[in-house]
Amino acid sequence: MVIDKTRTIAVIGGTGKLGAALARRWAKAGLRVAVGSRDADKAREAAAALAAETGAAVDSGLNAEVAARADLIVVSVPFASQVATLAEIRAAAAGKLVVDTTVPLMPPKVMRVQLPPEGCAAVRAQQTLGEAVRVVSAFHNVAAHKLATDEDIACDVLVFGDDKADRAQVVALADAAGLRGLHGGALVNSAAAEAMTSVLIFLNKTYRVDGAGLCITGALDMNADA
């Protein structure tokens, strides 16, 4: 799938580690990016730095502002801030595709799987945003500090959502970030990738790995009907 480079991607929480890293990769790939934050000054500073590095025009503003101006929204905030952030952008997100990257990590026990009562953070996102918003989840298992570099990352991105066409858009976004996006099935399946993040953190500590990720083995037919 070819990404329409005239569309704007709002990265909500774009001053955080994962959001900033994704925004940088997409800007370098020639995509239009807007950096959102709860602090307009921080968003403006981050956007200016990104524009200076990439030569791209980067928009910025408060989360709800950039969500309103965007064609597609990516939410990258901690689990503790997820519901409040989604409620903040809900009106602006109506009729749009929202990519939720939230992992239910609950410090200090981040190496233990602690899924929410809804089953996973992605389902909680859909319930919070309502039926007027289409939710896809992705980017749970890739290390932000690796994304922030230009190095190749041996990590696949599993993409979950109830609509195949929506998933395909996010698979293409993963590919644009230099990763391999793969359809992972229905939104409820996001629980598997969200839970795996805690396992990967445990592996990082136990085996002294610098950002373990997931790679799907086998000769995948990338032209198969997902």
Side-chain angles (χ1 to χ4, degrees):
M1 180 176 185
V2 178
I3 299 177
D4 183 353
K5 292 187 176 182
T6 66
R7 302 178 73 204
T8 298
I9 304 166
V11 183
I12 306 303
T15 58
K17 292 180 180 179
L18 179 60
L22 287 170
R24 177 180 179 274
R25 290 226 168 193
W26 289 328
K28 295 192 77 170
L31 305 185
R32 297 179 61 177
V33 173
V35 176
S37 174
R38 291 175 298 176
D39 185 322
D41 290 336
K42 289 181 67 175
R44 184 167 51 250
E45 291 170 5
L50 183 55
E53 179 184 1
T54 64
V58 182
D59 189 16
S60 68
L62 295 172
N63 287 327
E65 294 173 346
V66 297
R69 295 195 292 267
D71 300 291
L72 185 149
I73 301 166
V74 177
V75 177
S76 176
V77 297
F79 181 66
S81 305
Q82 184 196 29
V83 170
T85 301
L86 294 176
E88 182 183 351
I89 68 168
R90 177 173 173 164
K96 299 177 183 179
L97 176 61
V98 171
V99 184
D100 188 79
T101 71
T102 308
V103 174
L105 297 178
M106 303 181 194
K109 297 181 179 180
V110 295
M111 292 185 287
R112 294 189 179 186
V113 176
Q114 301 179 76
L115 295 173
E118 296 86 351
C120 62
V123 170
R124 187 167 82 152
Q126 183 68 79
Q127 292 178 357
T128 302
L129 290 169
E131 295 181 359
V133 179
R134 292 131 49 216
V135 174
V136 171
S137 72
F139 303 105
H140 306 100
N141 304 135
V142 58
H145 71 279
K146 288 192 172 183
L147 270 178
T149 71
D150 293 325
E151 68 179 88
D152 292 332
I153 305 174
C155 183
D156 291 329
V157 173
L158 300 179
V159 179
F160 306 96
D162 294 332
D163 183 86
K164 182 174 66 175
D166 288 340
R167 290 199 310 265
Q169 291 188 55
V170 184
V171 166
L173 279 181
D175 293 344
L179 304 162
R180 184 173 70 161
L182 298 173
H183 289 264
L187 192 65
V188 294
N189 288 359
S190 182
E194 294 176 26
M196 183 55 67
T197 301
S198 291
V199 177
L200 292 172
I201 293 171
F202 177 84
L203 292 171
N204 288 338
K205 181 176 181 181
T206 302
Y207 297 101
R208 301 176 184 176
V209 184
D210 181 27
L214 293 179
C215 288
I216 306 303
T217 62
L220 276 65
D221 180 358
M222 301 304 290
N223 295 315
D225 186 357

